[in-house]
Amino acid sequence: MPADQLKSRREALRHLLLPLAVALAVPAAAQTTPQAAPPHANADRWTLVDKSLGRTGTTQPDGVRRYGFPRSDLNVQLDGVAIKPALALGSWAAFHPMGNEVMVMGDLVLTHEEVNPVMSRLLASGFTITALHNHLLRSVPATMYMHIGGHGDPVKLATALREALAASRTPLTAPSRDSQPPSAGAGSSPPLALDTAALDQLMGTKGKPNAGVYQFSFPRAERLTDGGVPAPAPMGTATAINFQPTTPGRAAITGDFVLTAVEVDPVLRALRAGGIEVTALHNHMLDDQPRLFFMHFWANDDATKLARGLRAALDKTNVARPGAG
């Protein structure tokens, strides 16, 4: 083949292959170019959620971030007892990380007139209302408890939750350090007029003081899920028992037992045998496995007597306790 024809064919082949080489090179280059990060992927999500909610949350050992909204604005009386927020008036929300998103569960303490305005804002922002009911009887003013669920971007959910709470009188500004009593240092709690050592022994575990209330928590032993997603104890699936001292040696108690269906009747009978009122029985979730029931209670009596009654009821449930009393 003449040299000029060979050169012409080589030039034509080069023009044909050059676009193909460029086309092949583009995807390779695109693969090495950093893709846009999802929202909040490079930021401290909890700092942003804290800012949205106007308070600092507490990260639990399992990664769940909990936020408290105590109804310190309410003066609720029950059988002559002034209910402290930590006893039965503590709204809360828990954020369970799921990749770049979260599952949110919570319980909002509301007066009767606050229920529907708060509910409307939650529904408009994509939250689900999973339960609405009483926890107490004879309390003045009466309070309702709205259980909520949500899934999605943590900051958007936090912003929506705060906007919904703004339709109530829930304090949305966290108390400043300057507003605390001089004796209340970080993490400190005033002494309780209770024999907490005796209560610990009777309940089979160590309680925790919180704002004038002595609290116990008993996670269930089995794996719990809601909508197929793990629902650990900080999401509100642990039995909660609270003691608020009233007069020397006496305490008001309330909280809720987290029960499977077969445990409901034995626990109810044990509480009544111990002189403890059962004040409510209901669900808190919609798609939980196993199906759970929440039994609320109330009494104001000798603290150790009540602890024995509570322990008898607790022993009817499948809870994970670190020790026996």
Side-chain angles (χ1 to χ4, degrees):
M1 179 180 292
D4 57 343
Q5 291 183 8
L6 180 62
K7 180 178 179 181
S8 176
R9 288 191 177 185
R10 286 176 177 173
E11 189 69 18
L13 182 62
R14 186 177 70 83
H15 284 293
L16 287 172
L17 294 178
L18 182 59
L20 178 61
V22 172
L24 292 173
V26 169
Q31 291 176 4
T32 59
T33 302
Q35 297 182 355
H40 321 311
N42 299 317
D44 182 349
R45 82 167 95 194
W46 298 138
T47 298
L48 297 173
V49 173
D50 289 353
K51 183 177 180 181
S52 297
L53 291 175
R55 64 203 56 230
T56 302
T58 303
T59 302
Q60 309 299 311
D62 52 17
V64 173
R65 182 83 162 181
R66 277 186 65 105
Y67 295 84
F69 302 86
R71 291 301 305 259
S72 55
D73 61 304
L74 296 177
N75 178 20
V76 177
Q77 302 279 331
L78 173 51
D79 295 347
V81 177
I83 304 296
K84 292 182 180 295
L87 182 67
L89 301 174
S91 295
W92 59 270
F95 289 63
H96 191 337
M98 299 172 59
N100 292 322
E101 298 186 334
V102 295
M103 177 175 75
V104 178
M105 293 171 64
D107 184 9
L108 308 181
V109 183
L110 302 169
T111 61
H112 285 189
E113 65 270 20
E114 294 171 344
V115 167
N116 279 286
V118 171
M119 181 185 293
S120 294
R121 293 193 183 190
L122 288 170
L123 293 174
S125 62
F127 274 90
T128 300
I129 308 303
T130 60
L132 175 65
H133 45 232
N134 70 293
H135 287 183
L136 305 170
L137 299 174
R138 304 182 304 279
S139 58
V140 181
T143 49
M144 297 293 288
Y145 297 76
M146 183 184 294
H147 294 267
I148 62 172
H151 178 271
D153 178 271
V155 176
K156 289 182 179 178
L157 288 168
T159 301
L161 176 58
R162 179 162 182 167
E163 290 176 351
L165 286 174
S168 72
R169 292 184 293 277
T170 302
L172 295 180
T173 303
S176 66
R177 290 180 179 271
D178 294 338
S179 66
Q180 302 298 319
S183 59
S188 67
S189 183
L192 291 171
L194 288 171
D195 186 347
T196 56
L199 295 180
D200 291 346
Q201 183 178 14
L202 288 166
M203 299 304 298
T205 191
K206 187 170 181 59
K208 181 179 71 173
N210 178 22
V213 175
Y214 202 56
Q215 300 179 327
F216 292 91
S217 180
F218 299 90
R220 290 196 60 90
E222 66 269 65
R223 181 177 183 268
L224 306 176
T225 64
D226 183 38
V229 178
M235 302 298 285
T237 59
T239 289
I241 295 175
N242 302 326
F243 289 77
Q244 178 183 315
T246 50
T247 57
R250 292 170 64 91
I253 58 167
T254 193
D256 56 354
F257 282 81
V258 183
L259 309 170
T260 57
V262 297
E263 296 169 345
V264 169
D265 187 67
V267 168
L268 191 153
R269 292 176 183 275
L271 290 173
R272 294 302 298 127
I276 299 168
E277 290 184 315
V278 173
T279 59
L281 174 64
H282 43 232
N283 68 287
H284 285 181
M285 295 171 280
L286 297 178
D287 192 20
D288 43 337
Q289 293 294 329
R291 187 63 168 152
L292 298 174
F293 299 85
F294 294 75
M295 185 180 294
H296 298 266
F297 55 89
W298 168 264
N300 180 20
D301 205 336
D302 178 81
T304 56
K305 170 190 171 184
L306 294 176
R308 291 188 186 94
L310 290 165
R311 176 60 185 272
L314 194 66
D315 287 343
K316 305 292 185 183
T317 69
N318 183 30
V319 296
R321 286 185 280 110

